[in-house]
Amino acid sequence: MKVTIIGAGPGDPDLITVKGLRALQEADVVMYTDSLVNDELIARAKPGATIHKSAGMALDEMVGIMIEAVREGKSVARVHTGDPSMYGAILEQIALLKKAGIGYEIIPGVSSVFAAAAALGAELTVPELTQTVILTRVEGRTPMPEREQLRDLAAHHSTLALYLSATLVKKVVNELLEAGWSENTPVGVVQRASWPDEIRVRTTLARLEEDMKAHGIRSHAMILAGWALDPALHDSDGHRSKLYDKTFTHRFRRGVKE
Ligand code: SAH
């Protein structure tokens, strides 16, 4: 018996993976972050499973419950929002499980960055515009390593996906302007992506703070910034991927001469 760490996806209970759902349905003990994981998903656990909410628990208590359950021969599902590898705080849980000699497996999930991109109808990697997405956050109570300050990361002018930053927009805007981003750089913000009360805001760097305020967005939001978010791309003929270009030869198709 082991602990299965499951990515629940961004909110919509149907956005868990098939494998994740199966593990959830088979678990004897389920522990989940109650503020962020949809209760509708947890309701799919098997009847009679013991359900724990972890939001009010300290690390030792949380992992203690998991260890005890596994030692009693029970299977444990630890459900995290989005994908567990992004700001999931799973590392300290894994370290304690390992110390106790308990095995674990991680089942990935749909991170909120992808749910937000889907909500905005965006491709984050647009040919000849940017082929890179930087997943990061701005410095709040958790200090950022010196070499990862937003203004330095932004120097690449790639797409930026900002987690945990909705209350720090002023800083986001200042750092990006400092990095040389123009005020009219497109920004998309999605609060509670894939939940029934999802809010989508399309704006620019200059209007970001004001527009977020106008929509009352202070938490649970993904900020996607960069020219890949330009809504005008949907109506333009430029930036076509070579993959579907008929003159381009690749592994699955021979190109034709024009
Ligand atoms: N592991 C999660 C991230 C946890 S950190 C994941 O992969 O998505 C929590 C942050 O994630 C929030 O501050 C917010 O920036 C983002 N987030 C999580 N769920 C979200 C959702 N449904 N919509 C928008 N942002 C979300």
Side-chain angles (χ1 to χ4, degrees), residues 10-177:
D12 179 343
D14 284 348
L15 284 178
I16 191 172
T17 65
V18 173
K19 187 168 182 173
L21 181 60
R22 206 172 285 145
L24 171 67
Q25 287 170 331
E26 285 168 1
D28 302 310
V29 174
V30 176
M31 183 170 294
Y32 76 111
T33 330
D34 35 314
S35 54
L36 293 169
V37 174
N38 199 328
D39 284 325
E40 275 179 48
L41 180 63
I42 300 304
R44 297 187 194 168
K46 83 175 159 199
T50 311
I51 313 285
H52 295 279
K53 297 180 175 187
S54 68
M57 285 187 201
L59 177 68
D60 283 341
E61 184 184 358
M62 190 160 67
V63 180
I65 292 171
M66 295 195 260
I67 292 172
E68 201 182 302
V70 172
R71 287 193 176 143
E72 286 168 3
K74 295 174 180 158
S75 57
V76 177
R78 172 71 177 110
V79 186
H80 279 270
T81 179
D83 182 87
S85 71
M86 288 306 298
Y87 307 108
I90 55 171
L91 184 59
E92 56 254 50
Q93 300 175 48
I94 291 170
L96 288 178
L97 290 173
K98 245 182 146 173
K99 206 181 275 176
I102 307 275
Y104 69 92
E105 179 193 355
I106 302 174
I107 299 176
V110 177
S111 182
S112 50
V113 59
F114 302 119
L120 294 167
E123 169 158 358
L124 302 180
T125 54
V126 179
E128 287 162 51
L129 198 54
T130 178
Q131 290 290 284
T132 304
V133 185
I134 295 179
L135 308 183
T136 187
R137 61 179 297 176
V138 277
E139 190 164 68
R141 276 193 305 168
T142 308
M144 290 293 282
E146 184 46 41
R147 287 184 297 185
E148 295 176 18
Q149 296 298 319
L150 188 57
R151 59 182 169 282
D152 299 329
L153 298 175
H156 296 284
H157 289 261
S158 63
T159 303
L160 284 178
L162 298 167
Y163 293 76
L164 298 161
S165 303
T167 52
L168 304 161
V169 250
K170 200 174 267 184
K171 188 161 187 168
V172 171
V173 173
N174 288 342
E175 301 246 329
L176 295 187
L177 292 177

